Amino acid sequence: MDHSLNRRDLLKVFGTMGISSAVGYLALNQQARADFGLSEVNDAKRGDMLTGSEAVPFRLVNGEVIRPELKIPQIKETDVLVVGGGAAGCVAAIAAARAGVKTTIVERYNHFGGLATGGLVLAILGHWANNVQVVQGIGEEMMQRLEKMPYGIVGRIKGRNPTVDSEAYKYLLVEMLSEAGVDIYLHSWISDSINEGSVVKGAVIQSKIGPLAIMAKQIIDTTGDGDVFVSAGAAYERRKYIIGLPNRYMDMPKLKKGTKRPRNYGGITPIEGVRWVGMRGKFSDGVDPKALSDLEVEYRKKIWSDYLLLKQQPGFEEVKLIETAPQLGVRVSRVIKGMTELTRDGVNKEIKYEDCVGIGGSWSNNHVPWQLSYGAMLPQNIENLLTAGRSVCADTHTSELVRVIPNCWMSGHAAGCAAAAAVLQNTTARKVDLRQVRELLIKQKAYLG
């Protein structure tokens, strides 16, 4: 190797390759850096400012911000791309990968699970209907595996709603995604879809090294907020809904039977002495950054105030506030306009759909089971795109059923199997043979009635 190249020459080389000079320079492995006579210690002492000559900033023209034309590096091609690693997304990715197709998942946070972990929505409710556990499959497997983990889950009794530990569940999701062979991208925020006419071909993710493109045969939008289908041009409805912010306390005393509970005593968790406190919150816009920021500030002040009041009560002096959810509890924000709308009347009448791909439960009083129509996950005007989780097509009442964690597992499972079947059949999500989708679901132990 020619050691005569200096650092400035290296940066020029990276620039001609279309790679960020800063990224390229810092990405050199230890051996390569040694070959060029570079040391991390010396570089740190220099404190030089590295610049990326390939940067294409937005322009200010006549007082308006103009988006420039920019070539996006394509970093990956995959069969199924799942965008959003919450409850629905993780199950969708695991299901697709287990069906034998190359699967990639993208998540904006540093962990998986969405509101079930980062949102501290620790209660698993909504998987029962008429005293029958209707949500099974991969979701049931998760609960069984949590039972074998220290402090993973508590309250697994027939007809009851258990509670999970967020850290145990975060770990389990990483384990199951890795076992399934899913390619993982964390710290990556979806910014745009890639369309060819009305067909979605991939997605652009935003990262610390700039925008990157992932191409895919099938896309599943499990962002919760519909970030993919909105950018793809699908029809949707934007709703305001209740947004909260849960927290956890430690060293909470046990109360004797019949003792009046403090207002924010909270619910049990798998760890003795730790309780989680939900928050109903206010109606607001779940995708408006200013509205979310205002709520975040207000709620954190309220949680701290409630904590200090709790500590003033006899017996609660040693209570500690150990965690406030790192993400707001947005329950509903955007809902796709699908081929089928799930409705309150349909649930009450127990409507049966020819394209049923899942059975959902209720989170109150073991209500009647309801069927998930495949059409509720399909946009009306965009191809090769499915959604699952809280953004499936449902009226306001039925969104209350759709959004809870087990029912997100159920719709995610259906979407993952449908996307995999479409790849295996070399067809679109809209034209997929639902018989094969149901066969995959049953093979993966889903309950279809």
Side-chain angles (χ1 to χ4, degrees), residues 112-345:
F112 292 110
L115 293 183
T117 55
L120 292 184
V121 183
L122 306 181
I124 304 300
L125 44 86
H127 54 304
W128 292 92
N130 289 343
N131 292 310
V132 174
Q133 184 178 331
V134 292
V135 178
Q136 299 180 26
I138 294 174
E140 168 62 18
E141 178 187 340
M142 287 176 175
M143 289 190 284
Q144 290 179 6
R145 292 177 67 156
L146 283 167
E147 283 186 299
K148 297 176 182 177
M149 297 170 61
Y151 311 110
I153 191 170
V154 66
R156 277 270 285 166
I157 303 170
K158 182 177 180 180
R160 297 281 297 277
N161 299 315
T163 304
V164 302
D165 177 72
S166 57
E167 294 305 316
Y169 192 29
K170 286 176 188 176
Y171 167 76
L172 177 63
L173 292 172
V174 167
E175 185 177 67
M176 292 182 69
L177 288 164
S178 299
E179 288 173 354
V182 176
D183 201 7
I184 292 171
Y185 284 83
L186 294 164
H187 306 283
S188 306
W189 191 306
I190 175 70
S191 61
D192 291 282
S193 71
I194 302 169
N195 286 27
E196 189 173 67
S198 63
V199 181
V200 181
K201 294 288 188 175
V204 175
I205 61 173
Q206 190 64 41
S207 72
K208 285 290 187 179
I209 58 173
L212 304 168
I214 300 178
M215 310 305 292
K217 296 175 182 176
Q218 300 292 328
I219 317 289
I220 303 175
D221 184 346
T222 46
T223 60
D225 295 321
D227 294 335
V228 181
F229 65 67
V230 170
S231 64
Y236 70 94
E237 181 180 337
R238 182 169 165 181
R239 298 176 183 169
K240 288 186 176 182
Y241 208 71
I242 301 167
I243 299 174
L245 187 66
N247 65 272
R248 290 199 290 183
Y249 289 132
M250 186 175 74
D251 295 335
M252 291 286 277
K254 285 186 177 180
L255 298 182
K256 293 181 180 180
K257 197 169 184 179
T259 303
K260 185 178 180 181
R261 297 186 175 193
R263 179 177 57 81
N264 56 336
Y265 185 64
I268 63 169
T269 74
I271 303 174
E272 188 174 355
V274 174
R275 300 184 74 87
W276 77 283
V277 181
M279 179 190 286
R280 181 170 173 80
K282 297 180 175 180
F283 275 86
S284 191
D285 189 334
V287 293
D288 183 319
K290 181 55 177 171
L292 294 175
S293 300
D294 290 345
L295 285 181
E296 192 88 50
V297 171
E298 178 183 344
Y299 289 170
R300 291 190 181 276
K301 289 179 179 179
K302 175 176 171 48
I303 288 170
W304 189 257
S305 175
D306 287 349
Y307 167 56
L308 296 181
L309 288 174
L310 181 64
K311 286 177 68 67
Q312 293 175 16
Q313 300 191 45
F316 289 82
E317 295 86 353
E318 299 302 317
V319 170
K320 300 171 183 64
L321 175 62
I322 59 170
E323 183 180 21
T324 303
Q327 63 186 88
L328 279 168
V330 177
R331 293 172 170 92
V332 179
S333 54
R334 298 184 183 118
V335 173
I336 201 167
K337 290 287 188 181
M339 303 303 295
T340 307
E341 183 183 41
L342 306 178
T343 66
R344 179 176 188 169
D345 186 57

